[in-house]
Amino acid sequence: MAPVGPLLLGCLLAQIVKADELNVTQYDGPTECEDSDRVKEGDQLGMHYTGTIDASSKTGKPGQKFDSSRDRGDVFSTQIGVGQVIQGWDKGLINLC
C-alpha cells in the first residue's frame, strides 16, 4: 500500500518514559509543513523503520538491529493512532510532517 500524504519518516525515536510521558526525537525527514499536512490520528502511513536495542535495555546488545523494513525491501503501512502499532508510534508520529 502506498503512503498517504507527504510523510517521509527517515528516523524517529519514540520512547514512553512514564504512562503519561512520551519523548520523541526526529533524526531525519521534514520538520516544517502546513498544519493540514501533519500526521493526524487515523491517517494511513507508509514508512521504513529499523528497530535496534536501546542502550537502557536490560537484555540484548545495545545498538543491535532486531528488525528492519528496509532489509525486506518493503514499506511498512499502518493506520496511526488507532492501536495497530506500539504506543510510541501511535502517539509519537502524531503532528509530524
Side-chain angles (χ1 to χ4, degrees):
M1 181 175 282
V4 174
L7 178 74
L8 172 60
L9 180 67
C11 184
L12 172 81
L13 172 64
Q15 175 184 19
I16 302 216
V17 178
K18 298 179 187 174
D20 60 347
E21 186 179 325
L22 177 69
N23 291 330
V24 175
T25 304
Q26 182 177 341
Y27 294 102
D28 196 6
T31 57
E32 295 192 22
C33 61
E34 299 293 324
D35 285 344
S36 61
D37 290 333
R38 292 190 176 275
V39 175
K40 294 169 274 319
E41 188 174 293
D43 282 356
Q44 185 75 24
L45 301 179
M47 67 195 91
H48 278 293
Y49 69 90
T50 298
T52 58
I53 304 294
D54 185 69
S56 66
S57 178
K58 294 179 181 173
T59 61
K61 180 181 175 186
Q64 181 179 18
K65 179 171 56 175
F66 61 84
D67 190 23
S68 175
S69 63
R70 291 185 186 279
D71 290 349
R72 291 187 296 280
D74 206 9
V75 172
F76 176 72
S77 181
T78 190
Q79 190 175 15
I80 294 297
V82 296
Q84 291 183 353
V85 292
I86 60 172
Q87 194 174 25
W89 282 17
D90 250 358
K91 295 180 185 241
L93 293 173
I94 301 293
N95 288 321
L96 291 181
C97 292

